[in-house]
Short mmCIF file of all heavy atoms in Angstrom, two decimals:
data_model
loop_
_atom_site.label_atom_id
_atom_site.label_comp_id
_atom_site.label_asym_id
_atom_site.label_seq_id
_atom_site.Cartn_x
_atom_site.Cartn_y
_atom_site.Cartn_z
N LEU A 103 49.02 43.05 -19.79
CA LEU A 103 47.98 43.59 -18.91
C LEU A 103 48.60 44.38 -17.78
O LEU A 103 49.38 43.79 -17.06
CB LEU A 103 46.92 42.71 -18.47
CG LEU A 103 46.12 41.80 -19.51
CD1 LEU A 103 45.21 40.86 -18.85
CD2 LEU A 103 45.30 42.75 -20.46
N PRO A 104 48.19 45.62 -17.62
CA PRO A 104 48.62 46.36 -16.40
C PRO A 104 48.27 45.46 -15.02
O PRO A 104 47.16 44.90 -15.07
CB PRO A 104 47.95 47.67 -16.38
CG PRO A 104 46.97 47.64 -17.48
CD PRO A 104 47.17 46.43 -18.38
N TYR A 105 48.97 45.64 -14.08
CA TYR A 105 48.76 45.00 -12.84
C TYR A 105 49.02 43.41 -12.80
O TYR A 105 49.35 42.89 -11.75
CB TYR A 105 47.35 45.19 -12.19
CG TYR A 105 46.91 46.63 -12.22
CD1 TYR A 105 45.78 47.09 -13.02
CD2 TYR A 105 47.52 47.60 -11.38
CE1 TYR A 105 45.50 48.45 -13.02
CE2 TYR A 105 47.17 48.88 -11.41
CZ TYR A 105 46.19 49.35 -12.22
OH TYR A 105 45.72 50.59 -12.20
N PHE A 106 48.83 42.89 -13.88
CA PHE A 106 49.02 41.31 -13.95
C PHE A 106 50.27 40.92 -14.64
O PHE A 106 50.62 39.75 -14.61
CB PHE A 106 47.88 40.65 -14.54
CG PHE A 106 46.53 41.04 -13.84
CD1 PHE A 106 45.55 41.84 -14.34
CD2 PHE A 106 46.35 40.49 -12.60
CE1 PHE A 106 44.36 42.14 -13.73
CE2 PHE A 106 45.06 40.82 -11.88
CZ PHE A 106 44.13 41.59 -12.47
N GLY A 107 51.05 41.80 -15.23
CA GLY A 107 52.27 41.46 -15.84
C GLY A 107 52.23 41.07 -17.28
O GLY A 107 51.21 41.17 -17.90
N GLY A 108 53.39 40.91 -17.87
CA GLY A 108 53.55 40.66 -19.22
C GLY A 108 53.55 39.16 -19.58
O GLY A 108 53.19 38.36 -18.81
N VAL A 109 54.01 38.99 -20.83
CA VAL A 109 54.05 37.53 -21.39
C VAL A 109 55.35 37.32 -21.92
O VAL A 109 56.04 38.20 -22.26
CB VAL A 109 52.94 37.32 -22.47
CG1 VAL A 109 51.55 37.34 -21.84
CG2 VAL A 109 53.08 38.35 -23.54
N TYR A 110 55.74 36.03 -21.84
CA TYR A 110 56.92 35.51 -22.43
C TYR A 110 56.62 34.99 -23.82
O TYR A 110 55.48 34.44 -24.05
CB TYR A 110 57.62 34.45 -21.67
CG TYR A 110 58.22 34.94 -20.38
CD1 TYR A 110 57.44 34.96 -19.17
CD2 TYR A 110 59.57 35.44 -20.36
CE1 TYR A 110 57.95 35.46 -18.02
CE2 TYR A 110 60.00 35.92 -19.15
CZ TYR A 110 59.19 35.90 -17.95
OH TYR A 110 59.78 36.38 -16.79
N HIS A 111 57.52 35.22 -24.84
CA HIS A 111 57.35 34.56 -26.12
C HIS A 111 58.65 34.27 -26.68
O HIS A 111 59.70 34.80 -26.26
CB HIS A 111 56.46 35.41 -26.97
CG HIS A 111 57.03 36.84 -27.31
ND1 HIS A 111 57.87 37.01 -28.36
CD2 HIS A 111 56.99 38.03 -26.63
CE1 HIS A 111 58.26 38.20 -28.41
NE2 HIS A 111 57.80 38.91 -27.39
N LEU A 112 58.64 33.43 -27.70
CA LEU A 112 59.77 33.01 -28.44
C LEU A 112 60.19 34.08 -29.46
O LEU A 112 59.30 34.63 -30.11
CB LEU A 112 59.43 31.73 -29.01
CG LEU A 112 60.54 30.58 -29.17
CD1 LEU A 112 61.16 30.26 -27.78
CD2 LEU A 112 60.09 29.36 -29.86
N THR A 113 61.52 34.32 -29.59
CA THR A 113 61.94 35.10 -30.71
C THR A 113 62.54 34.13 -31.79
O THR A 113 62.99 33.10 -31.43
CB THR A 113 62.96 36.01 -30.31
OG1 THR A 113 64.09 35.30 -29.70
CG2 THR A 113 62.42 37.14 -29.46
N LEU A 114 62.18 34.50 -32.98
CA LEU A 114 62.58 33.69 -34.13
C LEU A 114 63.36 34.31 -35.07
O LEU A 114 63.38 35.59 -35.06
CB LEU A 114 61.31 33.10 -34.80
CG LEU A 114 60.47 32.14 -33.98
CD1 LEU A 114 59.07 31.96 -34.56
CD2 LEU A 114 61.11 30.73 -33.78
N PRO A 115 64.03 33.59 -36.04
CA PRO A 115 64.85 34.39 -37.12
C PRO A 115 63.95 35.31 -37.86
O PRO A 115 62.79 35.07 -38.05
CB PRO A 115 65.32 33.30 -38.02
CG PRO A 115 64.92 32.04 -37.46
CD PRO A 115 64.09 32.21 -36.29
N ASP A 116 64.59 36.39 -38.38
CA ASP A 116 63.90 37.43 -39.17
C ASP A 116 63.32 36.83 -40.50
O ASP A 116 63.85 35.89 -41.01
CB ASP A 116 64.83 38.58 -39.48
CG ASP A 116 64.94 39.44 -38.33
OD1 ASP A 116 64.06 39.31 -37.43
OD2 ASP A 116 65.93 40.22 -38.23
N VAL A 117 62.32 37.51 -40.84
CA VAL A 117 61.52 37.04 -42.11
C VAL A 117 62.36 37.44 -43.33
O VAL A 117 62.71 38.54 -43.46
CB VAL A 117 60.15 37.64 -42.10
CG1 VAL A 117 59.41 37.27 -43.30
CG2 VAL A 117 59.41 37.36 -40.80
N VAL A 118 62.37 36.40 -44.16
CA VAL A 118 62.73 36.80 -45.49
C VAL A 118 61.53 36.78 -46.31
O VAL A 118 60.74 35.83 -46.39
CB VAL A 118 63.78 35.74 -46.06
CG1 VAL A 118 64.20 36.08 -47.48
CG2 VAL A 118 64.97 35.66 -45.11
N ALA A 119 61.34 37.88 -46.99
CA ALA A 119 60.04 37.94 -47.80
C ALA A 119 60.01 36.81 -48.98
O ALA A 119 61.02 36.47 -49.45
CB ALA A 119 59.93 39.30 -48.50
N PRO A 120 58.83 36.27 -49.08
CA PRO A 120 58.78 35.12 -50.01
C PRO A 120 59.07 35.66 -51.49
O PRO A 120 58.75 36.80 -51.78
CB PRO A 120 57.28 34.69 -49.89
CG PRO A 120 56.62 35.82 -49.24
CD PRO A 120 57.62 36.60 -48.40
N ASP A 121 59.57 34.80 -52.27
CA ASP A 121 59.88 35.29 -53.64
C ASP A 121 58.60 35.33 -54.43
O ASP A 121 57.56 34.69 -54.08
CB ASP A 121 60.95 34.54 -54.34
CG ASP A 121 60.51 32.99 -54.53
OD1 ASP A 121 59.51 32.83 -55.10
OD2 ASP A 121 61.29 32.08 -54.12
N ASN A 122 58.71 35.98 -55.59
CA ASN A 122 57.47 36.28 -56.37
C ASN A 122 56.84 34.98 -56.93
O ASN A 122 55.64 34.82 -57.14
CB ASN A 122 57.73 37.24 -57.51
CG ASN A 122 57.75 38.67 -56.85
OD1 ASN A 122 57.35 38.89 -55.70
ND2 ASN A 122 58.28 39.67 -57.66
N ARG A 123 57.73 34.05 -57.33
CA ARG A 123 57.21 32.75 -57.87
C ARG A 123 56.34 31.99 -56.81
O ARG A 123 55.28 31.49 -57.10
CB ARG A 123 58.42 31.90 -58.32
CG ARG A 123 58.79 32.29 -59.73
CD ARG A 123 60.08 31.66 -60.16
NE ARG A 123 59.94 30.15 -60.10
CZ ARG A 123 60.98 29.33 -60.12
NH1 ARG A 123 62.22 29.78 -60.18
NH2 ARG A 123 60.81 28.00 -60.16
N PHE A 124 56.85 32.04 -55.58
CA PHE A 124 56.10 31.37 -54.57
C PHE A 124 54.78 32.05 -54.33
O PHE A 124 53.80 31.42 -54.18
CB PHE A 124 56.94 31.37 -53.26
CG PHE A 124 56.36 30.63 -52.10
CD1 PHE A 124 56.40 29.29 -52.06
CD2 PHE A 124 55.66 31.33 -51.08
CE1 PHE A 124 55.79 28.58 -51.07
CE2 PHE A 124 55.16 30.63 -49.99
CZ PHE A 124 55.17 29.26 -49.98
N ILE A 125 54.81 33.44 -54.35
CA ILE A 125 53.65 34.22 -54.18
C ILE A 125 52.64 33.96 -55.20
O ILE A 125 51.45 33.72 -54.99
CB ILE A 125 53.97 35.67 -54.00
CG1 ILE A 125 54.83 35.97 -52.79
CG2 ILE A 125 52.60 36.53 -53.82
CD1 ILE A 125 55.34 37.37 -52.77
N ALA A 126 53.18 33.93 -56.44
CA ALA A 126 52.28 33.68 -57.66
C ALA A 126 51.60 32.24 -57.61
O ALA A 126 50.46 32.18 -57.84
CB ALA A 126 53.09 33.90 -58.93
N ALA A 127 52.45 31.32 -57.15
CA ALA A 127 51.93 29.93 -57.05
C ALA A 127 50.70 29.97 -55.99
O ALA A 127 49.69 29.38 -56.24
CB ALA A 127 53.03 29.00 -56.68
N ASN A 128 50.98 30.70 -54.85
CA ASN A 128 50.00 30.78 -53.88
C ASN A 128 48.70 31.49 -54.42
O ASN A 128 47.57 31.09 -54.11
CB ASN A 128 50.48 31.51 -52.67
CG ASN A 128 51.08 30.59 -51.63
OD1 ASN A 128 50.44 29.97 -50.80
ND2 ASN A 128 52.41 30.27 -51.78
N MET A 129 48.94 32.56 -55.15
CA MET A 129 47.85 33.32 -55.68
C MET A 129 46.95 32.40 -56.69
O MET A 129 45.76 32.36 -56.52
CB MET A 129 48.34 34.46 -56.49
CG MET A 129 48.63 35.75 -55.71
SD MET A 129 47.18 36.46 -55.13
CE MET A 129 46.69 37.50 -56.53
N ILE A 130 47.59 31.75 -57.50
CA ILE A 130 46.99 30.86 -58.45
C ILE A 130 46.25 29.73 -57.72
O ILE A 130 44.93 29.49 -58.00
CB ILE A 130 47.93 30.28 -59.52
CG1 ILE A 130 48.44 31.46 -60.44
CG2 ILE A 130 47.16 29.22 -60.40
CD1 ILE A 130 49.74 31.04 -61.18
N PHE A 131 46.89 29.18 -56.85
CA PHE A 131 46.20 28.13 -56.02
C PHE A 131 44.99 28.65 -55.24
O PHE A 131 43.96 28.05 -55.26
CB PHE A 131 47.22 27.48 -55.10
CG PHE A 131 46.67 26.39 -54.32
CD1 PHE A 131 46.41 25.06 -55.00
CD2 PHE A 131 46.51 26.36 -52.94
CE1 PHE A 131 45.92 23.99 -54.37
CE2 PHE A 131 46.03 25.21 -52.30
CZ PHE A 131 45.75 24.10 -52.99
N SER A 132 45.13 29.84 -54.75
CA SER A 132 44.00 30.44 -53.91
C SER A 132 42.85 30.79 -54.93
O SER A 132 41.66 30.54 -54.59
CB SER A 132 44.49 31.63 -53.27
OG SER A 132 45.52 31.49 -52.43
N LEU A 133 43.24 31.28 -56.05
CA LEU A 133 42.28 31.68 -56.96
C LEU A 133 41.47 30.43 -57.54
O LEU A 133 40.24 30.49 -57.62
CB LEU A 133 42.88 32.32 -58.22
CG LEU A 133 42.12 33.30 -59.08
CD1 LEU A 133 41.66 34.44 -58.07
CD2 LEU A 133 42.88 33.77 -60.23
N ILE A 134 42.17 29.30 -57.72
CA ILE A 134 41.41 28.04 -58.14
C ILE A 134 40.51 27.62 -57.05
O ILE A 134 39.27 27.26 -57.26
CB ILE A 134 42.54 26.95 -58.40
CG1 ILE A 134 43.33 27.27 -59.75
CG2 ILE A 134 41.80 25.62 -58.65
CD1 ILE A 134 44.53 26.49 -59.92
N ILE A 135 40.99 27.63 -55.79
CA ILE A 135 40.10 27.33 -54.70
C ILE A 135 39.02 28.13 -54.60
O ILE A 135 37.75 27.74 -54.47
CB ILE A 135 40.82 27.25 -53.34
CG1 ILE A 135 41.89 26.17 -53.40
CG2 ILE A 135 39.87 27.04 -52.19
CD1 ILE A 135 42.73 26.16 -52.16
N PHE A 136 39.23 29.46 -54.79
CA PHE A 136 38.08 30.44 -54.80
C PHE A 136 37.07 30.17 -55.79
O PHE A 136 35.78 30.09 -55.65
CB PHE A 136 38.67 31.85 -54.93
CG PHE A 136 37.70 32.80 -54.79
CD1 PHE A 136 37.16 33.30 -53.51
CD2 PHE A 136 37.14 33.53 -55.86
CE1 PHE A 136 36.13 34.28 -53.41
CE2 PHE A 136 36.16 34.54 -55.80
CZ PHE A 136 35.73 34.93 -54.53
N LEU A 137 37.53 29.91 -57.04
CA LEU A 137 36.58 29.59 -58.20
C LEU A 137 35.88 28.30 -57.92
O LEU A 137 34.63 28.29 -58.25
CB LEU A 137 37.39 29.45 -59.46
CG LEU A 137 37.93 30.85 -60.01
CD1 LEU A 137 38.83 30.64 -61.14
CD2 LEU A 137 36.80 31.83 -60.26
N VAL A 138 36.52 27.39 -57.35
CA VAL A 138 35.85 26.08 -57.02
C VAL A 138 34.67 26.34 -56.02
O VAL A 138 33.57 25.83 -56.16
CB VAL A 138 36.79 25.01 -56.49
CG1 VAL A 138 36.09 23.88 -55.84
CG2 VAL A 138 37.74 24.53 -57.55
N CYS A 139 35.04 27.21 -55.04
CA CYS A 139 33.97 27.43 -53.99
C CYS A 139 32.86 28.30 -54.59
O CYS A 139 31.71 28.05 -54.03
CB CYS A 139 34.66 28.27 -52.97
SG CYS A 139 35.72 27.36 -51.89
N VAL A 140 33.01 29.18 -55.41
CA VAL A 140 31.90 29.96 -55.88
C VAL A 140 31.18 29.47 -57.13
O VAL A 140 30.32 30.11 -57.66
CB VAL A 140 32.40 31.49 -56.09
CG1 VAL A 140 32.85 32.08 -54.88
CG2 VAL A 140 33.39 31.51 -57.24
N SER A 141 31.61 28.28 -57.57
CA SER A 141 30.98 27.78 -58.80
C SER A 141 30.09 26.60 -58.46
O SER A 141 30.35 25.92 -57.46
CB SER A 141 32.09 27.44 -59.83
OG SER A 141 32.83 26.39 -59.24
N GLY A 142 29.10 26.25 -59.29
CA GLY A 142 28.33 25.06 -59.19
C GLY A 142 27.62 24.98 -57.98
O GLY A 142 27.20 26.05 -57.42
N ARG A 143 27.33 23.78 -57.46
CA ARG A 143 26.42 23.58 -56.34
C ARG A 143 27.04 23.99 -55.02
O ARG A 143 26.43 24.20 -53.96
CB ARG A 143 26.05 22.11 -56.30
CG ARG A 143 25.10 21.69 -57.41
CD ARG A 143 24.75 20.29 -57.30
NE ARG A 143 24.11 19.90 -55.95
CZ ARG A 143 24.06 18.61 -55.52
NH1 ARG A 143 24.58 17.68 -56.21
NH2 ARG A 143 23.48 18.46 -54.38
N ARG A 144 28.40 24.14 -55.07
CA ARG A 144 29.11 24.42 -53.86
C ARG A 144 28.88 25.97 -53.54
O ARG A 144 29.08 26.38 -52.34
CB ARG A 144 30.64 24.31 -54.01
CG ARG A 144 30.97 22.84 -53.90
CD ARG A 144 32.46 22.61 -54.32
NE ARG A 144 32.66 23.03 -55.75
CZ ARG A 144 32.51 22.15 -56.71
NH1 ARG A 144 32.11 20.82 -56.49
NH2 ARG A 144 32.57 22.50 -57.98
N SER A 145 28.56 26.80 -54.52
CA SER A 145 28.42 28.24 -54.28
C SER A 145 27.30 28.43 -53.23
O SER A 145 26.25 27.97 -53.31
CB SER A 145 27.92 28.85 -55.64
OG SER A 145 27.52 30.16 -55.34
N GLY A 146 27.73 29.31 -52.35
CA GLY A 146 26.66 29.69 -51.26
C GLY A 146 26.63 28.73 -50.03
O GLY A 146 26.00 28.96 -49.13
N HIS A 147 27.34 27.60 -50.10
CA HIS A 147 27.34 26.62 -48.95
C HIS A 147 28.16 27.27 -47.91
O HIS A 147 29.25 27.94 -48.22
CB HIS A 147 27.95 25.32 -49.55
CG HIS A 147 27.68 24.25 -48.50
ND1 HIS A 147 28.55 24.06 -47.48
CD2 HIS A 147 26.83 23.23 -48.42
CE1 HIS A 147 28.14 23.01 -46.79
NE2 HIS A 147 27.14 22.53 -47.36
N PRO A 148 27.85 27.08 -46.71
CA PRO A 148 28.54 27.72 -45.57
C PRO A 148 30.08 27.42 -45.63
O PRO A 148 30.87 28.28 -45.41
CB PRO A 148 28.00 27.10 -44.33
CG PRO A 148 26.65 26.76 -44.71
CD PRO A 148 26.62 26.35 -46.12
N LEU A 149 30.35 26.12 -45.95
CA LEU A 149 31.81 25.78 -45.90
C LEU A 149 32.55 26.51 -47.12
O LEU A 149 33.63 26.94 -46.87
CB LEU A 149 31.97 24.21 -46.15
CG LEU A 149 33.20 23.61 -45.71
CD1 LEU A 149 33.53 23.85 -44.29
CD2 LEU A 149 33.27 22.17 -46.04
N SER A 150 31.90 26.68 -48.24
CA SER A 150 32.44 27.42 -49.29
C SER A 150 32.63 28.84 -48.93
O SER A 150 33.72 29.40 -49.36
CB SER A 150 31.53 27.32 -50.49
OG SER A 150 31.27 26.05 -50.95
N ILE A 151 31.75 29.41 -48.20
CA ILE A 151 31.86 30.87 -47.87
C ILE A 151 32.99 30.95 -46.95
O ILE A 151 33.86 31.89 -47.07
CB ILE A 151 30.49 31.38 -47.24
CG1 ILE A 151 29.36 31.36 -48.29
CG2 ILE A 151 30.74 32.78 -46.69
CD1 ILE A 151 28.05 31.73 -47.78
N PHE A 152 33.15 30.02 -46.02
CA PHE A 152 34.25 30.07 -45.06
C PHE A 152 35.62 29.94 -45.84
O PHE A 152 36.55 30.82 -45.61
CB PHE A 152 34.20 28.93 -44.06
CG PHE A 152 35.47 28.68 -43.22
CD1 PHE A 152 35.77 29.75 -42.18
CD2 PHE A 152 36.21 27.66 -43.40
CE1 PHE A 152 36.89 29.48 -41.40
CE2 PHE A 152 37.42 27.51 -42.66
CZ PHE A 152 37.71 28.39 -41.66
N VAL A 153 35.71 29.01 -46.72
CA VAL A 153 36.90 28.80 -47.44
C VAL A 153 37.13 30.07 -48.30
O VAL A 153 38.31 30.47 -48.37
CB VAL A 153 36.91 27.44 -48.19
CG1 VAL A 153 38.13 27.37 -49.10
CG2 VAL A 153 36.81 26.33 -47.36
#
Side-chain angles (χ1 to χ4, degrees):
Chain A
L103 298 178
Y105 309 113
F106 299 109
V109 289
Y110 289 92
H111 63 89
L112 213 57
T113 55
L114 292 164
D116 280 345
V117 178
V118 178
D121 65 51
N122 282 347
R123 275 172 58 193
F124 184 77
I125 297 170
N128 269 274
M129 274 291 276
I130 292 165
F131 187 65
S132 301
L133 208 62
I134 291 168
I135 294 177
F136 184 77
L137 289 173
V138 168
C139 284
V140 297
S141 62
R143 287 179 60 199
R144 286 169 294 272
S145 167
H147 191 279
L149 200 59
S150 301
I151 295 173
F152 168 73
V153 175

